[in-house]
Amino acid sequence: MNNNNEVTLGAPLSGPVLALAQVPDPVFASGTLGEGIAIDPIDNCLVAPCAGEIIHLAHTLHAVTLRADNGAELLMHLGLDTVQLQGQGFTAQVQPGMRVSPGQPLLTFDMDQVAHRCTSLISLIVVTNGEHFCAERLAASHVNAGEPLLRIAARHGHAPRSVQVGEAVQGVAFVAHAGGLHARPAARLREIAKGFDCTAQLSYHGHLADIDSLMSVMALGVDEHAQVQVICRGPQREAALAALLQGLSTPIAGEQPIPVAVASTLSPLPALAAGLLAGICAAPGLASGPLVRLGSITLPADPGGHAPGEQQQALATALAAVTRSLEHTRAKARQRHDSTEEAIFAAHLALLHDPALNQAAEAAITKGSAASHAWSNAIDAQCQLLLDTGKPLLAERTNDLRDLGQQVVRELLGDCGRMPLPRGAIVVAREITPSDLLYLNSQGAAGLCMAAGGATSHVAILARAKALPCLVAMGEALLEQTLDGAVVLDADNGRLELTPDSHRLQQVSDQLAAHHARHQAQQAQAHAPAHTLDGTTIEVAANVAGAQDAALAHQAGADGVGLLRTEFLFADRHVAPDEEQQLAAYQAVLDAMGDNPVIIRTLDVGGDKQLDYLPLPPEANPALGLRGIRMARANPALFDQQLRALLRTRQPHRCRLLLPMVTEVDELLQIRQRLTELAGELGIDSPPQVGVMIEVPAAALLSAQLAEHADFLSIGTNDLSQYTLAMDRDHAGLAARVDALHPAVLALIAQACDGARQHGRWVGVCGALASDPLATPVLIGLGVRELSVSPPQVGEIKARVRSLDLAQCQRLARELLTLPGAGAVRRACEQYWPSAH
């Protein structure tokens, strides 16, 4: 029988029939790859179970995938662990793209040779797009080839879309994501694909993965810089293909490689002296305190026989609760404009609802398992799938999966709380999950030590963001330590001191106290102006992304806002904010800063910073494409709306406009003219000051001409560095070399300051270099008179300014321009101005 939604499959082999749960392989047995059945073959020819199209043939010839006429995709896998045979003993009778009839030979194999070299001859037929189909077993304990085996029917409400079959478009891309296609980039691809009416697949080394399954994509083991093929079918296939190719070739904003070793096993590092354990530094710092072990939930034995309906409802309720918790965490990160933390928990949300994971749990529940065990086993199987790729970065992502496992199980068991934690504790665990870390940080943990884990894991990223010293990959010996007495965690030097004497503990205490006292002293003077030793005033402002940041900056003593990124108001929306919404947001920032000035950068999107409601064509090199002021001029209605909102703020004299990505004087003049016209329409006599960002070499070289018509210049050292050095700051192999203290970048900063001085204009720096105390004397010496830093660093940078002699800074800064590279500049700075440490 065969109709649009249902097809009866004949047995592709003869032999005893087994349920998937009986297969001696955890990935297949758990249903991770989908519903299906197994046969222990007694013949050597795999035949087509129904009519359809061959859509994939493994390059090792041990597996073939057939798409039935109703859209079901059927994976037939000969034997277990047969991929390691590399095709020896197998012969293909078909090729991808061929149309086959029921009973037509697909693969033949040498039973003796294969049986001798693989784990088992047990072979499987699995529905890999099981979110659309369910499988009903028809065969008893034994079947002959061609006899009814399974009935495949469309799930109610989930009939496959017409795009499952039909003409396809395809293209290739090189993966630009640091570490390859792990959780976050895989989640990003899935989100891109969901926006189009089509189905999308990824092909890599002969293996196919549906892009809507993170597990399938990650299991491909795609490396950074690898070439992959994207295949799209459906009404919007061309648009989807272009968007997915762009997503693959564009790094996620803020994606940074970590220049430290990666480890994800429990293999110990080389032994140190007695009383010391070695580890890899995932987050720097020094701490002391009692060791506290963080335990995980252990499930009791599952007797089975549970009512599937009840367990399915329990799992759905738990998943909904964890979803709400993750969405709340992500929303809080978005409010703080912490894009790194937001991306991590967005990836967790995507993993939580991954079809492969949920199908595996549902399949186990249907067989009578408790929801807690079904979910835990599905998590374990998916973790094993990632570990089997042999990719260290993907192995680290198993920590994210186990985190989700623990959270859901806590909900299922009614145990949502965690162990109490003494403040100042050094927490020890096999692995610490991202949600655990947020809890530990809220409880005042002083440091983290993990037996496993890696320095590029999500929890390591969070530890650095929270300034929690953290060591990973410390080995099993860590878990064997007794929990008595204080220890010292010296993450900077990669060691845990298990038996520090009183002198060492006092030394650490003194160091931490000195650091705290220095910070307190800096904060006590943070609201006072920052004058150099000879009396020159340097304004220390703050970079902010909204009113909450601005309030924190004002409390921290900032002299103003040196950069308000207005993108925060335009991102994560389906429509642009209207004029009134923008006015309210800008006014809130101005109000939060008291009487201090606020520099507001006009919308800086385009390139790799896309907006849903402002579709831009894919670009081969987004950093050199339609972005910043170029994008604004291409969308005049949107830009006018922003200018009107800025003009209508109260006390407009405190509001200064900053134009991004300017490369020539005409761009500035046209914007000034439009601003004057809009001000006239609104009855405003004195429009706000207008500044130009110096972030491309052309602007630095034209600084004198720009300063003639601009009120001030502000240097964006991040972009200026990558454009000057021709190195993408998101490139995994080059990001560490994109150093704004390179003499070439400093020469452009000097030229910008010299050009501004000709017209009596002041120059600020709002890039990351302004927040580096080592660079403070260099920037001041070159002529910078405003530094815009992250709010917590205002006091530190002001204190740094007060220690400097301007004449010495001017003399030595010019000498630095003659040095051969950034490393030489940094060494010279450390010699000339050692107080940076």
Side-chain angles (χ1 to χ4, degrees):
M1 181 185 68
N2 185 13
N3 59 41
N4 287 337
N5 291 324
E6 185 175 287
V7 63
T8 297
L9 305 184
L13 295 159
S14 300
V17 180
L18 298 85
L20 283 188
Q22 297 174 274
V23 175
D25 181 288
V27 175
F28 286 117
S30 67
T32 294
L33 296 182
E35 294 184 48
I37 204 163
I39 297 173
D40 195 354
I42 59 175
D43 53 14
N44 69 340
C45 182
L46 179 79
V47 300
C50 63
E53 177 190 358
I54 302 299
I55 61 172
H56 180 241
L57 176 66
H59 72 282
T60 51
L61 307 181
H62 71 291
V64 61
T65 303
L66 168 72
R67 181 184 291 116
D69 290 339
N70 70 340
E73 296 180 358
L74 312 171
L75 167 67
M76 287 160 282
H77 191 286
L78 287 171
L80 303 179
D81 294 328
T82 43
V83 66
Q84 64 185 347
L85 302 184
Q86 294 297 306
Q88 295 181 27
F90 296 95
T91 304
Q93 307 296 324
V94 293
Q95 292 295 326
M98 285 182 58
R99 176 81 185 174
V100 296
S101 304
Q104 181 175 336
L106 305 178
L107 298 172
T108 56
F109 58 105
D110 185 324
M111 292 188 69
D112 290 337
Q113 181 182 3
V114 173
H116 180 71
R117 299 180 60 191
C118 73
T119 302
S120 170
L121 278 177
I122 291 176
S123 301
L124 305 102
I125 179 168
V126 174
V127 184
T128 61
N129 56 344
E131 70 272 23
H132 299 303
F133 297 93
C134 55
E136 176 188 357
R137 178 172 172 173
L138 301 177
S141 58
H142 189 282
V143 71
N144 293 318
E147 292 180 351
L149 179 68
L150 291 170
R151 180 179 293 114
I152 307 298
R155 294 184 184 273
H156 178 67
H158 289 278
R161 296 180 291 179
S162 60
V163 297
Q164 292 287 341
V165 294
E167 183 180 352
V169 292
Q170 54 191 332
V172 297
F174 289 93
V175 175
H177 301 283
L181 293 184
H182 50 93
R184 279 180 289 168
R188 182 195 193 195
L189 286 182
R190 190 172 81 162
E191 287 303 307
I192 292 172
K194 284 168 62 178
F196 299 93
D197 184 10
C198 78
T199 55
Q201 292 178 304
L202 205 63
S203 176
Y204 180 62
H205 286 176
H207 297 281
L208 275 177
D210 290 331
I211 287 178
D212 68 351
S213 171
L214 268 69
M215 293 298 103
S216 298
V217 172
M218 289 193 291
L220 290 176
V222 179
D223 293 312
E224 183 181 348
H225 306 313
Q227 181 176 305
V228 296
Q229 183 180 44
V230 180
I231 305 162
C232 296
R233 293 179 173 85
Q236 295 181 309
R237 54 188 178 272
E238 290 89 357
L241 178 65
L244 288 166
L245 293 177
Q246 174 76 7
L248 284 162
S249 58
T250 304
I252 295 173
E255 206 173 45
Q256 293 285 351
I258 306 301
V260 291
V262 176
S264 55
T265 69
L266 298 189
S267 302
L269 296 169
L272 298 177
L276 300 177
L277 283 180
I280 291 174
C281 178
L286 180 68
S288 65
L291 275 185
V292 174
R293 183 171 293 126
L294 183 68
S296 60
I297 298 173
T298 301
L299 290 174
D302 182 12
H306 299 280
E310 294 179 2
Q311 296 303 309
Q312 287 170 348
Q313 182 58 48
L315 180 59
T317 301
L319 289 171
V322 175
T323 296
R324 289 193 298 272
S325 175
L326 290 172
E327 287 176 340
H328 178 67
T329 302
R330 184 175 66 162
K332 288 172 65 178
R334 183 183 296 123
Q335 290 171 2
R336 297 193 308 272
H337 308 289
D338 187 336
S339 59
T340 299
E341 185 173 317
E342 181 184 353
I344 288 171
F345 288 98
H348 279 208
L349 278 166
L351 286 171
L352 187 68
H353 298 288
D354 188 277
L357 186 60
N358 285 270
Q359 288 162 25
E362 290 283 347
I365 288 174
T366 301
K367 296 179 177 67
S369 290
S372 55
H373 288 74
W375 179 257
S376 292
N377 291 337
I379 290 284
D380 289 343
Q382 296 289 4
C383 288
Q384 189 60 50
L385 202 61
L386 294 184
L387 291 171
D388 288 344
T389 67
K391 310 291 185 184
L393 189 60
L394 291 180
E396 288 179 1
R397 294 303 174 252
T398 61
N399 191 27
D400 297 292
L401 280 171
R402 292 193 177 98
D403 190 355
L404 295 174
Q406 293 284 299
Q407 292 182 68
V408 173
V409 168
R410 283 194 187 98
E411 290 291 339
L412 287 166
L413 298 182
D415 175 20
C416 300
R418 291 181 170 92
M419 58 174 284
L421 183 75
R423 294 193 70 82
I426 307 297
V427 180
V428 169
R430 182 176 298 275
E431 283 193 278
I432 293 169
T433 68
S435 64
D436 286 335
L437 184 142
L438 295 184
Y439 169 76
L440 296 172
N441 184 62
S442 71
Q443 296 297 301
L448 312 173
C449 293
M450 289 185 269
T456 59
S457 66
H458 284 162
V459 76
I461 294 170
L462 288 175
R464 289 190 291 273
K466 304 296 183 185
L468 273 176
C470 177
L471 291 180
V472 297
M474 300 183 71
E476 291 286 355
L478 175 69
L479 305 178
E480 299 167 359
Q481 301 305 312
T482 57
L483 305 180
D484 56 348
V487 298
V488 170
L489 172 58
D490 184 358
D492 294 325
N493 292 304
R495 64 187 193 181
L496 178 66
E497 302 171 21
L498 299 169
T499 56
D501 57 23
S502 58
H503 175 73
R504 175 57 173 155
L505 289 173
Q506 187 60 51
Q507 182 186 50
V508 171
S509 177
D510 290 345
Q511 286 181 257
L512 294 174
H515 174 77
H516 179 71
R518 185 165 56 250
H519 177 72
Q520 291 295 101
Q522 291 168 352
Q523 289 306 112
Q525 297 296 317
H527 288 269
H531 304 299
T532 61
L533 293 174
D534 67 333
T536 301
T537 300
I538 305 296
E539 288 192 6
V540 180
N543 295 334
V544 305
Q548 185 176 9
D549 281 358
L552 293 174
H554 190 52
Q555 294 170 10
D559 297 324
V561 167
L563 176 65
L564 169 63
R565 304 178 183 92
T566 58
E567 297 78 52
F568 82 97
L569 189 57
F570 289 79
D572 298 320
R573 303 173 62 102
H574 298 297
V575 295
D578 61 30
E579 187 176 322
E580 296 302 322
Q581 291 172 318
Q582 292 190 55
L583 172 60
Y586 304 145
Q587 190 63 57
V589 173
L590 284 161
D591 292 344
M593 286 306 298
D595 296 326
N596 296 326
V598 173
I599 296 177
I600 301 177
R601 184 175 66 190
T602 57
L603 184 59
D604 185 16
V605 296
D608 61 346
K609 295 184 284 187
Q610 299 276 359
L611 300 176
D612 292 343
Y613 49 86
L614 191 65
L616 297 172
E619 296 181 289
N621 193 333
L624 303 180
L626 194 65
R627 56 167 295 197
I629 204 66
R630 305 166 191 169
M631 189 284 300
R633 295 178 67 195
N635 295 271
L638 184 66
F639 190 50
D640 278 0
Q641 188 180 62
Q642 183 174 36
L643 293 180
R644 280 194 298 268
L646 292 167
L647 285 166
R648 290 174 56 200
T649 56
R650 295 188 302 275
Q651 297 180 304
H653 64 280
R654 290 176 47 222
C655 176
R656 300 169 180 170
L657 273 61
L658 183 59
L659 306 179
M661 292 299 294
V662 172
T663 56
E664 57 185 39
V665 176
D666 279 349
E667 291 173 323
L668 169 60
L669 292 176
Q670 290 173 19
I671 297 302
R672 293 210 74 136
Q673 180 181 352
R674 185 56 184 156
L675 187 66
T676 300
E677 293 170 353
L678 292 173
E681 293 173 9
L682 294 171
I684 296 172
D685 296 329
S686 301
Q689 292 185 0
V690 177
V692 168
M693 284 203 76
I694 306 297
E695 50 190 336
V696 296
L701 295 171
L702 290 178
S703 57
Q705 293 95 313
L706 289 169
E708 183 179 356
H709 303 284
D711 297 299
F712 63 94
L713 305 181
S714 184
I715 300 173
T717 53
N718 301 353
D719 271 330
L720 184 61
S721 299
Q722 74 168 348
Y723 291 133
T724 302
L725 302 176
M727 293 181 186
D728 186 346
R729 54 183 170 152
D730 292 323
H731 189 289
L734 297 174
R737 295 178 58 193
V738 184
D739 192 333
L741 282 178
H742 190 287
V745 180
L746 295 181
L748 289 174
I749 293 174
Q751 183 157 353
C753 293
D754 292 343
R757 192 179 301 111
Q758 293 180 32
H759 298 281
R761 312 302 189 195
W762 60 268
V763 177
V765 172
C766 59
L769 194 64
S771 296
D772 184 351
L774 194 67
T776 304
V778 183
L779 295 174
I780 292 174
L782 293 177
V784 172
R785 292 297 176 262
E786 185 235 38
L787 300 169
S788 191
V789 305
S790 61
Q793 289 185 280
V794 169
E796 179 184 12
I797 298 299
K798 282 192 172 185
R800 179 71 164 147
V801 169
R802 297 185 188 109
S803 71
L804 299 172
D805 176 79
L806 179 61
Q808 182 198 41
C809 292
Q810 291 172 331
R811 177 175 54 83
L812 296 178
R814 294 287 168 169
E815 291 181 8
L816 298 176
L817 303 183
T818 65
L819 296 179
V825 171
R826 288 192 172 274
R827 289 190 293 272
C829 289
E830 290 166 355
Q831 178 182 352
Y832 296 155
W833 301 286
S835 58
H837 302 288

